[in-house]
């Protein structure tokens, strides 16, 4: 192959990678930013980014509600003793922030939500009839990441995790883990992203992991069963497990070809024992539940970063910060354009108007290139109650009555997915 062609191909790939870099697109789309006074690895969300984040969070909460999850809130601080019981202090201390002394107590910014959810479960007695009990929270946690690995939204110190813990019987654990994988698959379809591969993450050498061979054997066997029943090809990787148990990692690849874990499913026998969790069985005796950890989209930060890069900033219409821009051709159609935008907002659409003060029609169309729907209103459309619909993918649907147009857009947004127009 000619060296010039190879160099051109590499340059093109580099340009495409740069164009899809979520840090560049995040600035261009005004999604998020950072400030030295807030600190490295602590991004803040601008209004457009807050819309994306809120919409994504509501999507996940709705999906969880439909799947039988019950949502809770728990504090971002916990006593050091809590993490000593859970095992985080012994096995995960290097990634935690140092304790803060409050009088005679030491409190820590939590590195994980699972110890808190174990306490939520433990707060009252449970019968086998209540199981599986699915507890979900979109909560903050904190990791003491080194400055050299921080970047954009993918590696941050304040993480907002879509987390859940299912407390169930041993017989229910495999089905619950499989159901979590199905939830992940549906979410990926709606978000327009795909799994690069599935990884069964196993323990490695050293003292990083809980020393209980039988625990690891039982949990690993269950996850292998889940992957087999789900028909998912996977690879096994030693040294990638959580300190308390194996996990199924759903791997994605970014624009630069870097692989990362987005979603996880874990089976945990360790923490139920550490927190002395139990339920009352049909025999009237106390039994130990199994704890299934799962995250549909992982952290909101990493999920948004991956979505931006996967779609080059052209997010699925239901997730886009602006879903519709109304474009009057001249000032004479501005009043009508504002009326259409107001009606769209009344129907729940995120709509804006871009008039001639923002430049020529062509310039405004180009400026709105990442907006899913563009409604152009010229003299004829204004007189006849129509809009000329352009789609982000370059298609021109043509003139439509305003009500039909808004009904069609609303239907597509409600259906989610990545299809713009039937």
């Amino acid at each position: 192959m000619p060296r010039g062609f190879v160099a051109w191909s590499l340059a093109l790939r580099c340009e495409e990678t740069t164009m899809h870099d979520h840090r560049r697109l995040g600035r261009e789309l005004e999604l998020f930013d950072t400030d030295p006074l807030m600190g490295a690895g602590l991004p803040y969300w601008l209004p457009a980014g807050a819309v994306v984040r809120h919409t994504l969070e509501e999507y996940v909460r709705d999906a969880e509600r439909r799947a039988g999850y019950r949502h809770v809130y728990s504090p971002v601080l916990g006593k050091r003793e809590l993490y000593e019981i859970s095992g985080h202090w012994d096995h995960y201390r290097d990634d935690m922030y140092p304790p803060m002394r409050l009088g005679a107590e030491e409190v820590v910014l939590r590195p994980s939500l699972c110890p808190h959810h174990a306490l939520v479960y433990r707060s009252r007695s449970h019968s086998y009839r209540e199981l599986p009990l699915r507890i979900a929270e979109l909560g903050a946690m904190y990791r003491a990441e080194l400055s050299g690995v921080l970047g954009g939204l993918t590696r941050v110190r304040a993480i907002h995790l879509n987390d859940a813990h299912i407390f169930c019987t041993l017989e229910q654990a495999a089905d619950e883990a499989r159901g979590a994988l199905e939830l992940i698959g549906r979410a990926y379809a709606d978000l327009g992203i795909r799994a690069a591969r599935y990884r069964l993450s196993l323990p490695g050498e050293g003292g990083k992991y809980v020393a209980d061979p039988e625990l690891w054997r039982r949990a690993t066997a269950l996850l292998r069963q889940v992957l087999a029943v789900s028909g998912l090809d996977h690879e096994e990787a030693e040294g990638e497990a959580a300190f308390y148990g194996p996990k199924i990692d759903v791997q994605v690849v970014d624009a630069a070809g870097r692989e990362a874990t987005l979603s996880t499913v874990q089976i945990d026998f360790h923490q139920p024992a550490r927190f002395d969790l139990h339920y009352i069985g049909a025999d009237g005796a106390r039994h130990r539940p199994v704890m299934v950890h799962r995250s549909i989209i992982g952290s909101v930060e990493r999920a948004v970063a991956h979505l931006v890069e996967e779609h080059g900033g052209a997010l699925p219409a239901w997730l886009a910060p602006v879903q519709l821009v109304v474009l009057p051709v001249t000032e004479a159609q501005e009043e009508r354009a504002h009326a259409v935008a107001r009606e769209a907002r009344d129907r729940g659409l995120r709509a804006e108007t871009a008039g001639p003060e923002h430049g020529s029609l062509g310039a405004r169309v180009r400026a709105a290139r990442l907006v899913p729907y563009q409604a152009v209103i010229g003299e004829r459309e204004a007189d006849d109650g129509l809009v000329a619909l352009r789609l982000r993918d370059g298609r021109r649907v043509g003139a439509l009555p305003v009500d039909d147009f808004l009904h069609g857009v609303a239907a597509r947004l409600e259906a989610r997915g990545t299809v713009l127009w039937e």
Side-chain angles (χ1 to χ4, degrees):
M1 186 176 293
R3 282 183 293 178
F5 178 80
V6 172
W8 174 82
S9 298
L10 290 173
L12 181 61
R13 181 175 178 182
C14 182
E15 181 181 353
E16 289 176 347
T17 298
T18 302
M19 291 294 290
H20 281 236
D21 189 312
H22 80 277
R23 291 166 296 184
R24 186 192 69 80
L25 286 167
R27 290 191 295 270
E28 179 184 332
L29 300 174
E30 297 185 348
L31 299 179
F32 69 94
D33 210 337
T34 58
D35 191 290
L37 285 177
M38 291 188 189
L42 298 169
Y44 58 88
W45 298 81
L46 295 162
V51 169
V52 174
R53 174 175 165 173
H54 177 79
T55 305
L56 187 59
E57 290 175 353
E58 283 303 299
Y59 167 80
V60 170
R61 288 192 184 100
D62 182 61
E64 289 171 338
R65 281 192 295 267
R66 293 171 185 270
Y69 288 81
R70 304 175 72 180
H71 290 93
V72 299
Y73 289 104
S74 58
V76 299
L77 293 170
K79 291 174 65 174
R80 171 176 160 173
E81 180 184 359
L82 170 62
Y83 306 108
E84 290 174 342
I85 294 171
S86 71
H88 285 82
W89 189 253
D90 287 339
H91 298 279
Y92 203 72
R93 189 186 320 172
D94 290 345
D95 294 301
M96 295 172 61
Y97 281 95
M100 296 174 280
R101 181 164 291 281
L102 297 176
E105 297 181 342
E106 286 187 328
V107 296
V108 182
L109 283 167
R110 68 178 173 194
S112 177
L113 279 71
C114 43
H116 295 250
H117 288 186
L119 296 184
V120 171
Y121 178 88
R122 200 177 72 174
S123 65
R124 54 188 47 81
S125 62
H126 299 280
S127 162
Y128 72 96
R129 294 186 178 89
E130 297 176 63
L131 306 185
L133 178 61
R134 306 180 184 102
I135 294 175
E137 180 177 2
L138 210 158
M141 62 187 197
Y142 299 85
R143 303 280 173 87
E145 299 277 12
L146 298 176
S147 298
V149 301
L150 298 173
L153 294 176
T154 54
R155 292 295 291 268
V156 294
R157 288 170 170 160
I159 303 164
H160 296 84
L161 186 68
N162 155 232
D163 207 5
H165 298 91
I166 304 166
F167 300 89
C168 60
T169 68
L170 178 61
E171 294 73 22
Q172 294 168 334
D175 283 343
E176 290 300 313
R178 184 169 53 82
L181 282 174
E182 290 174 355
L183 266 180
I184 291 168
R186 287 197 294 272
Y188 280 28
D190 286 342
L191 293 166
I193 58 179
R194 62 181 183 84
R197 68 186 179 104
Y198 292 84
R199 185 180 74 192
L200 179 57
S201 295
L202 303 173
E205 300 295 329
K208 176 181 175 183
Y209 302 99
V210 170
D212 189 333
E214 179 60 16
L215 173 156
W216 289 99
R217 186 195 66 76
R218 294 170 67 203
T220 301
L222 279 171
L223 289 181
R224 286 196 176 114
Q225 174 188 336
V226 169
L227 286 163
V229 172
S230 301
L232 296 173
D233 293 332
H234 68 280
E235 300 173 14
E236 298 190 358
E238 294 186 357
E240 297 293 341
F243 73 84
Y244 49 80
K247 57 195 175 95
I248 297 171
D249 288 325
V250 185
Q251 302 296 102
V252 295
V253 175
D254 68 11
R258 294 174 298 231
E259 186 177 297
T261 300
L262 189 60
S263 312
T264 61
V265 179
Q266 308 167 34
I267 288 181
D268 179 8
F269 293 105
H270 172 72
Q271 291 188 76
R274 296 284 291 183
F275 285 99
D276 191 25
L277 306 183
H278 65 271
Y279 65 90
I280 305 302
D283 57 359
R286 288 160 50 113
H287 297 268
R288 185 83 67 209
V290 179
M291 194 170 174
V292 178
H293 306 235
R294 59 104 284 226
S295 181
I296 297 175
I297 59 166
S299 75
V300 174
E301 289 79 10
R302 178 168 287 179
V304 171
H306 186 70
L307 281 163
V308 169
E309 295 197 354
E310 180 74 15
H311 297 290
L315 296 170
W318 63 272
L319 195 56
V322 178
Q323 296 165 324
L324 165 66
V325 61
V326 186
L327 303 166
V329 175
T330 69
E331 292 182 359
Q333 292 90 46
E334 281 196 284
E335 184 176 345
R336 180 59 184 155
H338 288 306
V340 171
R342 282 195 301 271
E343 186 174 349
R345 289 192 290 270
D346 288 343
R347 297 191 186 206
L349 278 66
R350 296 189 285 274
E352 295 181 356
T353 304
E357 69 275 15
H358 295 289
S360 67
L361 179 61
R364 286 178 278 148
V365 167
R366 289 190 295 274
R369 68 188 184 283
L370 297 179
V371 177
Y373 304 101
Q374 301 174 3
V376 179
I377 300 179
E379 183 177 358
R380 184 174 73 87
E381 287 82 13
D383 291 342
D384 296 341
L386 305 172
V387 296
L389 175 59
R390 295 169 177 251
L391 303 180
R392 179 175 59 195
D393 58 16
R395 284 181 290 163
R396 298 190 183 191
V397 177
L400 295 170
V402 171
D403 189 66
D404 292 350
F405 156 66
L406 293 177
H407 178 78
V409 171
R412 282 308 321 156
L413 297 179
E414 186 177 354
R416 298 196 175 95
T418 57
V419 176
L420 288 178
W421 198 261
E422 299 292 345

